[in-house]
Amino acid sequence: MSESYPSTPLIPKSTSYKLPDFKQSVKLKYVKLGYHYLITHGMYIFLTPLAVVIAAQLSTFSLQDLHDLWDHLRFNLISVILCSALLVFFSTLYFLTRPRPVFLVDFSCYKPDDARKCTRQIFMERSRLTGTFTEENLEFQRKILERSGLGESTYLPEAVLRVPPNPCMAEARKEAETVMFGALDQLFEKTCLKPKDIGILIVNCSLFNPTPSLSAMVINHYNLRGNIISYNLGGMGCSAGLISIDLAKDLLLAHPNSYALVISMENITLNWYFGNERSMLVSNCLFRMGGAAILLSNKRSDGWRSKYRLVQTVRTHKGADDKCFTCVTQKEDSTGRIGVSLSKDLMAVAGDALKTNITTLGPLVLPMSEQLLFFATLVARKLFKMKVKPYIPDFKLAFEHFCIHAGGRAVLDELEKNLQLSDWHMEPSRMTLYRFGNTSSSSLWYELAYTEAKGRVRKGDRTWQIAFGSGFKCNSAVWKALRTINPAKEKNPWMDEIHQFPVDVPKVSAI
């Protein structure tokens, strides 16, 4: 009788002895997180065994050992006194020479009256009623508005909304006073500070520079003290707000026990363009009414009540390059009408300025793990000529919140892509653009107010403010939260409607 064999082999031929695919079996994001933690906290990890050894050695000390140590110190009194004196001297020197902290006590953003609201339909109606725009350029403005990311509740000054418009110096001063004093009254109420306590005043407004200056208008209205250090910054674009913060920081480091007041705004009344040059019409569609007031202090006693501490400021200026210098220019068109012309090179110029700025900022704020990865990639590319992609640092490891100047939808889209940010990180900027439009240098503070209103700011959180401006400039400021912000106790322009946000903003929203 023949022997029967199983029809299937005991060991299937398809059996593979290859290692498993670790990319599928292991979540590499946790490996990356572990790497970042190891590098960032490497010093503590390596010092922990040393601390354990020292603690173990001290635990073996007996009472007799401690008595012998005391006798040794007692009979070497001169050495003990000298060491103690040196310790006191160097400790005193350190505390006297270390830079004074700059605190952000509080800030306020101006919210215009409902009478100043301008829906997109009203904008188009008023533009048509002026009688100065051609049908082609009215259609051009409509298309810009539909793709701008602006909503139906932005604000314009009375002189622009009036039929016919009334742009004049008196109306421009009226707008400036309304915005500045509205923001300041709220700030003084929130901080319980007297105007006479202000030692430094900085006002920035790019396109409106009257005489007497805007800073003089504030001094006159609030009867500020005669020895106040005041500055009025003009012509510096939407990044002037962070330039003002940097200037205030330097002045506070030079003048101890002082308060610095920074006011950031733009003026629409005298800068509405009534011509038909398309490069100048874009600003009409984006810029809106708004302003902010910020109170800074270098008094250590203000640390307990302040919201933030200024960590870093980095300023980048590309004005030496002609293309950068001319990409945003105020000039006359062929008919003599003044407007702000935006070049087609604007996005490329902004990207180059941002690259330079974050290259400077990165080593100051990024964890060591990210810096090592960036350095390793750079060496591989430049020294060994390896074809590897440039490493883009993950700034989300350095910052919890991002306030990117709400200059327009295209700018926000480009930065979201380049910095690899999520919708959550971009939400304050996009919602500010939707609700208030481009309020120039003050937009960063509407964004920070949005983050606070949402209850997202926790003690220790770091916020990165990024602004772009004519010239061309890219400036950054980094703030660290000194306490958790309770939105229930806040008074800012978002509080009565924050429950309505975020909203979905389509790429194209027909009018």
Side-chain angles (χ1 to χ4, degrees):
M1 189 174 178
S2 63
E3 185 179 1
S4 62
Y5 294 94
S7 59
T8 56
L10 296 176
I11 302 176
K13 294 181 180 179
S14 60
T15 301
S16 174
Y17 295 97
K18 293 182 180 180
L19 291 174
D21 186 353
F22 286 104
K23 288 186 177 180
Q24 300 297 327
S25 60
V26 178
K27 292 186 177 181
L28 291 181
K29 69 176 183 178
Y30 296 121
V31 177
K32 185 177 180 182
L33 287 174
Y35 160 75
H36 285 300
Y37 187 87
L38 177 65
I39 299 297
T40 305
H41 301 88
M43 183 181 69
Y44 303 105
I45 294 173
F46 289 118
L47 287 180
T48 299
L50 179 62
V52 172
V53 170
I54 294 174
Q57 185 65 30
L58 291 175
S59 66
T60 62
F61 272 40
S62 63
L63 291 176
Q64 183 60 40
D65 294 330
L66 295 174
H67 186 268
D68 293 342
L69 179 62
W70 170 252
D71 285 340
H72 178 74
L73 293 176
R74 185 174 58 178
F75 291 116
N76 292 274
L77 188 59
I78 296 177
S79 300
V80 173
I81 293 174
L82 285 176
C83 289
S84 301
L86 285 173
L87 181 63
V88 171
F89 172 76
F90 284 115
S91 298
T92 305
L93 186 65
Y94 168 75
F95 283 107
L96 290 177
T97 57
R98 66 174 179 167
R100 287 179 170 271
V102 175
F103 299 115
L104 193 163
V105 180
D106 212 331
F107 67 97
S108 64
C109 300
Y110 176 67
K111 186 176 184 179
D113 298 332
D114 288 344
R116 303 279 76 77
K117 279 188 178 180
C118 176
T119 65
R120 295 181 302 160
Q121 188 66 40
I122 290 176
F123 176 92
M124 292 306 303
E125 289 176 0
R126 296 296 191 274
S127 296
R128 186 178 298 277
L129 289 173
T130 60
T132 62
F133 302 114
T134 64
E135 285 297 324
E136 292 80 6
N137 281 327
L138 285 170
E139 179 65 15
F140 172 75
Q141 291 181 75
R142 184 183 66 81
K143 289 181 178 180
I144 292 293
L145 269 181
E146 290 177 341
R147 293 161 175 78
S148 65
L150 272 68
E152 302 291 351
S153 299
T154 58
Y155 301 94
L156 282 175
E158 181 183 357
V160 175
L161 288 175
R162 186 180 298 168
V163 181
N166 182 33
C168 62
M169 180 62 74
E171 288 294 330
R173 282 184 172 274
K174 180 180 177 181
E175 180 194 350
E177 291 172 352
T178 302
V179 173
M180 291 193 302
F181 302 160
L184 282 174
D185 288 345
Q186 187 182 111
L187 182 63
F188 286 135
E189 180 184 347
K190 291 169 70 173
T191 58
C192 300
L193 199 70
K194 299 177 181 178
K196 288 285 188 182
D197 294 330
I198 304 298
I200 299 167
L201 172 65
I202 303 171
V203 181
N204 67 267
C205 182
S206 187
L207 296 176
F208 181 54
N209 294 286
T211 300
S213 66
L214 296 174
S215 58
M217 290 165 61
V218 174
I219 293 171
N220 175 262
H221 181 80
Y222 290 97
N223 193 26
L224 302 185
R225 63 197 201 196
N227 64 342
I228 191 169
I229 302 169
S230 66
Y231 291 86
N232 197 97
L233 305 183
M236 305 191 80
C238 300
S239 68
L242 294 187
I243 294 175
S244 298
I245 295 294
D246 185 63
L247 175 59
K249 178 197 72 174
D250 292 340
L251 291 170
L252 286 171
L253 293 177
H255 298 83
N257 298 315
S258 298
Y259 285 109
L261 183 61
V262 174
I263 303 172
S264 294
M265 60 170 291
E266 193 53 85
N267 191 281
I268 306 296
T269 299
L270 280 182
N271 297 289
W272 198 256
Y273 177 62
F274 291 96
N276 284 282
E277 185 72 37
R278 291 197 173 184
S279 65
M280 299 182 180
L281 283 172
V282 176
S283 59
N284 281 12
C285 301
L286 298 178
F287 280 88
R288 294 295 183 266
M289 185 179 180
I294 305 98
L295 179 65
L296 304 175
S297 171
N298 60 7
K299 299 182 179 182
R300 297 191 188 276
S301 58
D302 280 324
W304 68 271
R305 69 168 183 146
S306 298
K307 286 185 172 180
Y308 306 92
R309 178 175 61 84
L310 183 61
V311 179
Q312 293 287 349
T313 54
V314 174
R315 293 169 56 180
T316 301
H317 206 306
K318 309 291 285 187
D321 183 274
D322 288 342
K323 186 172 71 171
C324 298
F325 177 74
T326 57
C327 69
V328 181
T329 309
Q330 186 181 29
K331 62 182 182 180
E332 295 174 331
D333 64 9
S334 57
T335 63
R337 294 185 174 96
I338 297 176
V340 176
S341 174
L342 305 180
S343 167
K344 293 180 179 180
D345 298 323
L346 179 59
M347 293 304 300
V349 168
D352 183 55
L354 175 65
K355 179 182 177 182
T356 304
N357 189 268
I358 64 176
T359 302
T360 306
L361 180 67
L364 301 175
V365 297
L366 284 170
M368 186 59 66
S369 56
E370 284 295 287
Q371 296 189 44
L372 288 176
L373 285 173
F374 177 78
F375 179 73
T377 307
L378 185 65
V379 170
R381 283 166 49 83
K382 301 296 183 182
L383 190 60
F384 297 103
K385 307 298 180 182
M386 296 175 63
K387 294 182 179 180
V388 294
K389 292 183 179 180
Y391 182 73
I392 300 174
D394 187 359
F395 280 92
K396 297 188 291 294
L397 294 171
F399 307 109
E400 285 73 31
H401 310 289
F402 295 80
C403 295
I404 302 169
H405 168 53
R409 185 169 204 152
V411 175
L412 298 182
D413 288 345
E414 196 65 23
L415 264 72
E416 179 181 8
K417 177 183 175 182
N418 289 339
L419 296 177
Q420 300 176 352
L421 301 179
S422 66
D423 292 339
W424 188 88
H425 291 113
M426 297 298 299
E427 186 181 310
S429 301
R430 293 196 185 281
M431 294 304 101
T432 295
L433 181 63
Y434 177 85
R435 178 63 181 83
F436 293 97
N438 181 350
T439 60
S440 191
S441 56
S442 67
S443 68
L444 299 174
W445 302 104
Y446 287 91
E447 294 165 18
L448 187 56
Y450 179 91
T451 306
E452 291 184 354
K454 279 293 184 181
R456 296 177 179 178
V457 179
R458 298 286 183 266
K459 183 178 180 180
D461 283 1
R462 295 151 298 178
T463 300
W464 182 15
Q465 292 181 320
I466 316 170
F468 302 91
S470 58
F472 190 85
K473 300 178 284 293
C474 176
N475 301 322
S476 291
V478 178
W479 304 91
K480 184 175 182 179
L482 298 177
R483 55 185 171 89
T484 299
I485 306 299
N486 183 0
K489 298 180 179 179
E490 285 301 306
K491 185 178 181 181
N492 72 43
W494 296 95
M495 292 312 303
D496 58 348
E497 53 187 285
I498 191 63
H499 60 280
Q500 302 174 14
F501 295 92
V503 298
D504 179 58
V505 183
K507 294 291 184 182
V508 180
S509 178
I511 300 176

